[in-house]
Amino acid sequence: KCRKMVYFNNPMWPGEVHSIKVEKILYKEKSEYQEVLVFESSTYGKVLVLDGIVQLTEKDECAYQEMITHLPLCSIPSPKRVLVVGGGDGGVLREISRHSSVDYIDICEIDKMVIDVSRKFFPELAVGFEDPRVHLHVGDAIEFLRQAPEGKYDVIIVDSSDPVGPAQELVEKPFFETIARALRPGGVLCNMAESMWLHTHLIEDMISICRETFKGSVHYAWASVPTYPSGVIGFILCATEGPPVDFVNPINPIEKVEGAVNHKRELRFYNSEVHSAAFALPAFLKREVSLL
Ligand code: AAT
């Protein structure tokens, strides 16, 4: 008996369609910014979809959230002030919570409906909002960063959607300039950076903007996330001018962060070996984005 499938078809991955088997549609509404869909799938648990693009599934969200968080937070000693752009599901906040050195977390998510839906359907992610260090701002991150005090943050994590819809400007140079300004010297950015198979040119553009904007090192890392298009997702890591940052060999290894590993929720994907391995790039990517 053939149950219903949801098909994901998008110009961001032309010539292919992805599908996930549905048990039950749980929520479907249009917010001010996008269409928000939650369904129970047959094999990946609950799934959050925005404008027809999978943002997370319960089964593999650990890979994305743990990597986008611990790659930057483990790369500098004693991170204290962190900003999350997007990330309204709370998963990145949940991961930041493992770091006892952090004393202040701002999050700027544009769409309140994503936060509400996560609180209702994804309590294992939304738990991140309960951390008393978290300060929630509902609004456009472009405007938030324009107003952010210079040098405020040690780490900025851009957990934003693909550059169609409300996240369009989040891959453009003025946005990166406001990020560099908001970071302290030697502070780091970790930015979601798409799939090396599908978006090589976008990655190339983002890397060259980052090289112009950040005076410290610029690196690309990637991880396997089966439900993202092509099954991988990348991250751009940048440091501002200041104490040099060695992204590949974590100076603040997670195994030494007090309580991070023996947390009530175990790490499922990230460890120091995976951290270093994430920076090993396939030959074609090194060539095309001239990363050496
Ligand atoms: N952790 C889940 C993964 C995401 S969520 C991306 C979030 O960014 C969404 O909640 C969206 O509402 C928010 N967002 C988009 N634009 C803005 C903006 N301008 N300001 C603030 N928040 C914004 C990302 C999954 C990546 C999928 C890769 N294919």
Side-chain angles (χ1 to χ4, degrees):
K1 212 169 88 187
C2 182
R3 282 215 203 86
K4 226 177 122 204
M5 307 285 280
V6 177
Y7 295 96
F8 300 97
N9 204 340
N10 193 288
M12 298 244 343
W13 49 94
E16 52 190 287
V17 173
H18 307 136
S19 51
I20 300 179
K21 203 176 203 175
V22 186
E23 291 294 324
K24 195 172 181 221
I25 302 280
L26 300 172
Y27 186 92
K28 195 176 173 189
E29 290 285 337
K30 270 206 153 58
S31 76
E32 208 180 315
Y33 301 97
Q34 52 208 345
E35 189 197 79
V36 181
L37 166 70
V38 180
F39 68 91
E40 182 72 49
S41 70
S42 305
T43 51
Y44 279 92
K46 286 187 220 116
V47 183
L48 173 67
V49 183
L50 299 178
D51 277 347
I53 301 180
V54 172
Q55 305 292 306
L56 64 93
T57 80
E58 285 182 311
K59 182 171 172 166
D60 64 5
E61 56 90 7
C62 58
Y64 177 80
Q65 326 271 14
E66 291 179 15
M67 291 297 274
I68 201 171
T69 306
H70 304 304
L71 286 175
L73 286 172
C74 292
S75 291
I76 58 171
S78 212
K80 291 197 171 52
R81 301 169 80 87
V82 185
L83 166 65
V84 180
V85 168
D89 50 76
V92 170
L93 300 174
R94 177 195 71 206
E95 291 306 316
I96 297 171
S97 295
R98 294 181 194 271
H99 290 260
S100 43
S101 66
V102 171
D103 58 24
Y104 189 93
I105 309 166
D106 275 327
I107 174 167
C108 182
E109 158 65 53
I110 204 167
D111 196 343
K112 184 167 181 297
M113 192 183 280
V114 174
I115 301 166
D116 294 342
V117 157
S118 184
R119 285 195 164 126
K120 180 149 188 221
F121 297 104
F122 299 95
E124 282 221 25
L125 288 100
V127 66
F129 286 103
E130 281 161 33
D131 190 307
R133 295 169 288 182
V134 170
H135 302 259
L136 170 62
H137 310 266
V138 177
D140 190 345
I142 304 269
E143 198 42 46
F144 185 86
L145 272 153
R146 266 191 213 130
Q147 317 237 338
E150 202 170 319
K152 177 168 182 186
Y153 301 103
D154 299 299
V155 175
I156 298 180
I157 297 172
V158 180
D159 174 22
S160 74
S161 8
D162 300 294
V164 281
Q168 203 137 20
E169 288 175 56
L170 305 188
V171 294
E172 292 168 8
K173 192 164 184 203
F175 179 67
F176 287 102
E177 285 168 349
T178 60
I179 288 185
R181 229 189 95 257
L183 283 170
R184 62 138 166 102
V188 300
L189 160 69
C190 183
N191 201 118
M192 188 280 283
E194 305 295 349
S195 153
M196 60 183 166
W197 294 110
L198 297 167
H199 312 115
T200 329
H201 293 296
L202 179 61
I203 295 169
E204 201 179 340
D205 291 348
M206 285 172 82
I207 286 178
S208 60
I209 290 173
C210 288
R211 284 213 174 110
E212 286 163 25
T213 314
F214 294 85
K215 305 292 182 247
S217 49
V218 175
H219 278 267
Y220 190 81
W222 60 282
S224 152
V225 181
T227 56
Y228 284 163
S230 88
V232 298
I233 191 91
F235 311 96
I236 292 181
L237 287 126
C238 308
T240 55
E241 197 168 20
V245 177
D246 176 4
F247 283 114
V248 183
N249 304 295
I251 193 172
N252 181 32
I254 195 85
E255 294 80 2
K256 299 220 170 114
V257 176
E258 207 185 323
V261 177
N262 301 322
H263 195 260
K264 53 187 181 294
R265 180 189 155 104
E266 271 182 21
L267 284 162
R268 298 185 185 168
F269 192 88
Y270 180 90
N271 57 39
S272 289
E273 280 172 86
V274 167
H275 179 124
S276 297
F279 291 89
L281 303 184
F284 84 89
L285 188 65
K286 278 195 179 188
R287 233 174 1 251
E288 286 179 42
V289 303
S290 45
L291 278 167
L292 295 167

